[in-house]
Amino acid sequence: MPIDIETFESSAPDRLQHSRETNADRVMRFLAAHPDQAFTQSEIRDATDVNAGSISVVLSRLEDRGLVRHKGNYWALGEDDDVAAYTSMLESTRAANDRFGEEDMDEWLEHAVDDADEATE
């Protein structure tokens, strides 16, 4: 989401850090706030500020995981068990990040096993 140039110029760098919330997180948070309703893709996009070019992909991936349901032009929160498992996983990840710090992807990749190397051994 863009900010005005005055905010950009007057704010400290740490106040301008981009949220780590993903598009999928935004969609899930919105739908979880309205579990008794279904919305069109454009209504979800407008409510979550997810880019128009991304909303379809986000919804499709969430549907593949059972986190949202799709019927006709409408989308709704997924079944309770699937959503509960997703929420539990998110909370566990957040708790681990709070306790141990977030993963550094570059550091992780330095120590990751390369599947191609394993296949040749």
Side-chain angles (χ1 to χ4, degrees), residues 38-41 59 63 69-76:
F39 300 88
T40 64
Q41 189 170 296
L59 288 168
E63 182 181 27
R69 295 175 284 162
H70 178 224
K71 189 182 288 185
N73 292 329
Y74 288 88
W75 297 82

Side-chain angles (χ1 to χ4, degrees), residues 21-31 48 50 55 57-59 61-62 65 67-68 86 90:
E21 184 178 51
T22 66
N23 288 338
D25 292 336
R26 283 191 239 156
V27 169
M28 288 299 295
R29 186 169 34 86
F30 172 71
L31 292 175
T48 60
V50 172
I55 192 69
V57 172
V58 170
L59 288 168
R61 288 182 179 165
L62 290 172
R65 295 180 187 139
L67 299 174
V68 300
Y86 171 78
L90 282 181

Side-chain angles (χ1 to χ4, degrees), residues 103-121:
E103 292 286 335
D104 179 341
M105 186 57 78
D106 292 331
E107 183 180 336
W108 186 88
L109 287 172
E110 284 179 27
H111 302 284
V113 175
D114 186 352
D115 289 341
D117 289 343
E118 274 193 357
T120 59
E121 290 180 8

Side-chain angles (χ1 to χ4, degrees), residues 1-63:
M1 176 181 240
I3 60 171
D4 62 80
I5 198 67
E6 184 176 315
T7 302
F8 173 80
E9 294 292 345
S10 65
S11 296
D14 62 329
R15 290 204 56 229
L16 298 178
Q17 295 297 318
H18 190 278
S19 166
R20 293 210 178 254
E21 184 178 51
T22 66
N23 288 338
D25 292 336
R26 283 191 239 156
V27 169
M28 288 299 295
R29 186 169 34 86
F30 172 71
L31 292 175
H34 306 91
D36 58 339
Q37 294 177 295
F39 300 88
T40 64
Q41 189 170 296
S42 60
E43 290 169 332
I44 296 169
R45 181 195 68 226
D46 292 344
T48 60
D49 290 327
V50 172
N51 182 295
S54 300
I55 192 69
S56 177
V57 172
V58 170
L59 288 168
S60 292
R61 288 182 179 165
L62 290 172
E63 182 181 27

